[in-house]
Amino acid sequence: MIALLMRDLKLAFRAGGGFGLGLAFFLIVTVMVPFSVGPQSELLARIAPGVLWLGALLACLLSLDRLLALDWEDGSLDLLATAPLPLESTVTIKALAHWITTGLPLVMAAPVLGLLLSLPVSGFLWLVVSLLLGTPALSVIGTFGAALTVGLKRGGLLMSLLVMPLYVPTLIFGSEVARRGAEGMTVQTPLLMLAGISAASIALLPFASAAVLRVNLR
Amino acid sequence: MSIWEYANPKKFLATTEKVMPALWVSSAVLIAAGLIWGFFFTPDDYRQGSTVKIIFLHVPSALMAINAWFMMLVTSLVWVIRRHHVSALAARAAAPVGIVMTVIALITGAIWGQPMWGTWWAWDPRLTSFLVLFLFYLGYIALWEAIDNPDTAADLTSILCLVGSVFAVLSRYAVNFWNQGLHQGASLSLDKKENVADAFSNPLYVCMAGFVLLFIALVFYRTGTEIRARRIKALMARERLEA
């Protein structure tokens, strides 16, 4: 399992593009927002949590395309499926590698980008916490979407369509935590819901992803 | 004698063909009766005037939009567990009907909302969760269309339907939490004192029954079409083999 994780991480770092792309996209979205809504800092501060969450989500979505498709193309996915490791854990490791290469950098970049959107200082902590709790769910749900469309030739667009509605609850609770944190309100309820969604997704979705992948590799 | 006998496509076709005319006629009669009763023989509401009458389209279609997905969930489970092809085809046949019902509910809601709330659209929990439901239907249908092998498609869409159902329920509660909306509570329920007035609820029940029957008729009809389309495909494949 660790070997597989290291392999995926190495591939992501060395193959270039994939690793930095999500981060660059996040940066672009954030930088473009003030141009489209105007530079008033009160307005920016009010929409900053939502914009940062949406940017992180889209950046995540952008990188899902490569999650399984590359292994599918060169045939290593078939090898992984026949390996002694159960497919469920293979899929979990894939999601974990995706989170380390996409989610974690997004979490770390978010405070800096929050500065650009004049997010109030009190909001930084909860923004980071909400992203830290929420991005694993995004990765696991995205892995399910990638597994569904892995055999299709132009699956990327279809995958976005399939994954988007599944992202709705995570996005709502995640940005709610960040928004309430920025406004100094109590965050307990959405925080617990967000954590619950993440935990349940991580616990259950790998089974669905593995089942779907078995069908696709049949 | 068990319900699984109808998993045999031949038996399914024979049986549905017998009940189809009755289904079409009764659903048409019920919907026509409900709509005419509702539009011409109910009083105007004291606050909403005559606009209240769109309820006879709005509520039944919303009801069927949700129940169509629920039916797809059940048939998907049957396919995953017992692998009856008719079940998977019924789920496939129900999806377009469900998405049309969703669209009718959204459009009639917008037409109703304009004079009542002064807006075509509001980010209200009920409205938003219907929009999300619409997205679910869209993804489900797109996935069916994208895959060539029918068994693979049935498997993948079934699992998508199961996962999607969980997330659809989650979204429902999430948007409830996210925003408190304009939409009124349920119009009809068994355990509440305050339902809509009898003058409105009786034709509404007739309309709802009509929509349920119409949905069943459409799903039977479309499932039959799917079965025949598959037979044609099999025949053509055999012909090509022999040629």
Side-chain angles (χ1 to χ4, degrees):
Chain A
M1 281 171 88
I2 292 171
L4 179 62
L5 180 64
M6 293 318 282
R7 166 187 172 274
D8 273 11
L9 290 181
K10 265 185 208 152
L11 274 175
F13 282 117
R14 287 188 191 153
F19 175 59
L21 205 60
L23 214 49
F25 185 79
F26 193 27
L27 179 72
I28 291 169
V29 170
T30 319
V31 170
M32 286 301 176
V33 167
F35 293 129
S36 69
V37 303
Q40 302 94 329
S41 47
E42 320 85 69
L43 178 62
L44 285 178
R46 215 168 66 230
I47 60 170
V51 168
L52 290 170
W53 249 93
L54 188 63
L57 185 144
L58 291 175
C60 225
L61 195 63
L62 189 73
S63 53
L64 288 176
D65 219 5
R66 309 162 53 88
L67 188 67
L68 295 166
L70 289 179
D71 285 337
W72 163 267
E73 276 160 19
D74 64 10
S76 41
L77 202 57
D78 295 290
L79 286 180
L80 288 175
T82 48
L85 204 60
L87 203 51
E88 281 80 5
S89 43
T90 309
V91 174
T92 315
I93 293 294
K94 284 271 176 198
L96 179 63
H98 177 261
W99 182 72
I100 292 175
T101 53
T102 332
L104 202 55
L106 290 178
V107 176
M108 291 191 291
V112 183
L113 297 177
L115 216 59
L116 287 178
L117 294 180
S118 51
L119 185 73
V121 183
S122 57
F124 282 96
L125 173 67
W126 292 114
L127 176 70
V128 172
V129 169
S130 68
L131 280 171
L132 208 56
L133 277 175
T135 43
L138 297 184
S139 285
V140 182
I141 296 170
T143 311
F144 174 66
L148 266 176
T149 53
V150 73
L152 299 173
K153 265 169 222 86
R154 303 177 66 83
L157 201 61
L158 177 61
M159 190 194 59
S160 316
L161 182 62
L162 296 176
V163 167
M164 267 302 172
L166 301 181
Y167 273 176
V168 168
T170 319
L171 176 65
I172 288 177
F173 287 118
S175 47
E176 187 73 13
V177 171
R179 189 182 66 80
R180 288 194 177 193
E183 289 174 4
M185 284 149 65
T186 166
V187 295
Q188 196 191 14
T189 322
L191 193 69
L192 288 177
M193 287 302 290
L194 182 66
I197 290 173
S198 279
S201 304
I202 294 168
L204 298 175
L205 267 176
F207 293 97
S209 310
V212 161
L213 211 50
R214 273 194 202 102
V215 172
N216 265 329
L217 290 172
R218 195 167 59 197
Chain B
M1 185 66 193
S2 85
I3 192 174
W4 303 114
E5 275 179 29
Y6 297 97
N8 178 346
K10 213 170 158 189
K11 170 106 190 189
F12 177 85
L13 278 181
T15 316
T16 51
E17 259 158 28
K18 256 180 252 152
V19 296
M20 279 310 264
L23 272 176
W24 286 123
V25 170
S26 55
S27 70
V29 167
L30 279 176
I31 290 176
L35 287 184
I36 292 171
W37 184 1
F39 282 142
F40 299 113
F41 298 100
T42 55
D44 286 359
D45 188 71
Y46 72 100
R47 243 179 334 162
Q48 305 195 25
S50 58
T51 54
V52 73
K53 292 179 178 178
I54 206 168
I55 197 177
F56 301 113
L57 274 176
H58 182 67
V59 171
S61 59
L63 171 86
M64 288 328 291
I66 295 169
N67 283 332
W69 186 274
F70 183 67
M71 182 225 124
M72 282 154 58
L73 172 67
V74 174
T75 45
S76 296
L77 269 175
V78 171
W79 162 253
V80 168
I81 296 166
R82 298 197 59 148
R83 304 199 81 75
H84 293 313
H85 286 268
V86 173
S87 181
L89 291 179
R92 179 179 191 168
V97 185
I99 200 173
V100 170
M101 292 291 179
T102 315
V103 171
I104 293 177
L106 283 171
I107 291 176
T108 53
I111 295 170
W112 195 2
Q114 217 290 322
M116 287 303 106
W117 303 339
T119 174
W120 296 96
W121 178 262
W123 289 98
D124 160 279
R126 287 207 170 199
L127 277 66
T128 312
S129 51
F130 255 72
L131 197 62
V132 175
L133 184 67
F134 175 72
L135 288 178
F136 272 118
Y137 274 122
L138 216 57
Y140 180 88
I141 295 171
L143 191 64
W144 261 112
E145 296 304 323
I147 302 165
D148 296 328
N149 182 344
D151 278 4
T152 313
D155 277 335
L156 294 182
T157 51
S158 298
I159 299 173
L160 177 68
C161 186
L162 303 187
V163 174
S165 301
V166 176
F167 277 89
V169 173
L170 257 178
S171 304
R172 182 74 189 85
Y173 286 104
V175 292
N176 242 352
F177 170 84
W178 169 61
N179 200 346
Q180 298 305 324
L182 292 164
H183 202 291
Q184 59 168 336
S187 311
L188 300 170
S189 59
L190 299 174
D191 58 346
K192 259 195 322 191
K193 273 266 159 97
E194 275 185 43
N195 283 336
V196 286
D198 283 347
F200 295 111
S201 66
N202 289 332
L204 186 56
Y205 286 132
V206 176
C207 276
M208 279 156 80
F211 266 69
V212 171
L213 289 178
L214 176 69
F215 174 76
I216 296 173
L218 281 170
V219 169
F220 277 176
Y221 184 68
R222 292 182 50 88
T223 311
T225 313
E226 297 280 350
I227 293 173
R228 291 196 180 93
R230 237 201 233 194
R231 279 190 188 161
I232 291 173
K233 226 184 239 172
L235 285 175
M236 279 163 63
R238 195 191 294 166
E239 222 163 67
R240 232 177 292 128
L241 262 179
E242 283 165 359

